[in-house]
Amino acid sequence: MAYIDGFLTPVREECKEEYLAHATVIMPMMREFGMTRMVECWGDDVLRGQQTDFYRAVASEEGESVVFSWIEWPDKAARDAGWARMMEDPRMKDMAAPPFDGKRLIYSGFQPIFDSAGEMA
């Protein structure tokens, strides 16, 4: 079964196109390093909770949207190898700074336990 890296980050509303351009630049590298799918989702109907919510999770500020994204890999071994290769790739040093505050980016790896496409762990 696939392995998923999930991400949540705040991005200034006026930086939406810049964020998309960043994703478009990095996507071919990620594919080269083994990812099978990358999905970027701009917050559209993100509710504000009474106790916690996506905005609080990333310390979102006025004028920022929350972006939820994920990268799908064939398995955890491919993910680990892919990230290692990417961090060593010299192209990463030449890449422009991302249009978000990396200190407020949340990311983690997830092992799927149910997939409506029919595959279950």
Side-chain angles (χ1 to χ4, degrees):
M1 183 176 275
Y3 193 82
I4 307 296
D5 276 322
F7 303 86
L8 186 65
T9 192
V11 179
R12 298 221 43 91
E13 292 283 346
E14 65 269 14
C15 293
K16 184 176 182 178
E17 293 305 317
E18 186 181 349
Y19 182 87
L20 184 57
H22 175 77
T24 303
V25 166
I26 206 163
M27 189 277 300
M29 289 177 61
M30 298 300 295
R31 189 168 304 283
E32 179 183 330
F33 299 136
M35 72 119 197
T36 56
R37 182 177 182 205
M38 184 167 121
V39 178
E40 300 289 341
C41 305
W42 193 263
D44 178 58
D45 188 18
V46 183
L47 303 176
R48 294 195 182 268
Q50 290 185 14
Q51 301 255 337
T52 190
D53 56 33
F54 281 100
Y55 296 105
R56 287 185 189 115
V58 294
S60 178
E61 299 171 356
E62 186 70 34
E64 290 180 329
S65 183
V66 178
V67 175
F68 172 68
S69 60
W70 71 90
I71 298 173
E72 185 174 307
W73 303 87
D75 53 40
K76 189 172 189 300
R79 176 261 206 164
D80 292 347
W83 278 113
R85 286 182 57 207
M86 186 156 180
M87 293 300 116
E88 295 171 3
D89 193 292
R91 293 174 289 181
M92 289 296 291
K93 292 183 180 103
D94 297 332
M95 193 172 293
F100 55 85
D101 181 359
K103 292 178 183 172
R104 294 186 289 146
L105 168 74
I106 297 172
Y107 63 94
S108 293
F110 296 87
Q111 181 66 55
I113 59 171
F114 177 81
D115 184 337
S116 68
E119 190 174 336
M120 294 178 58

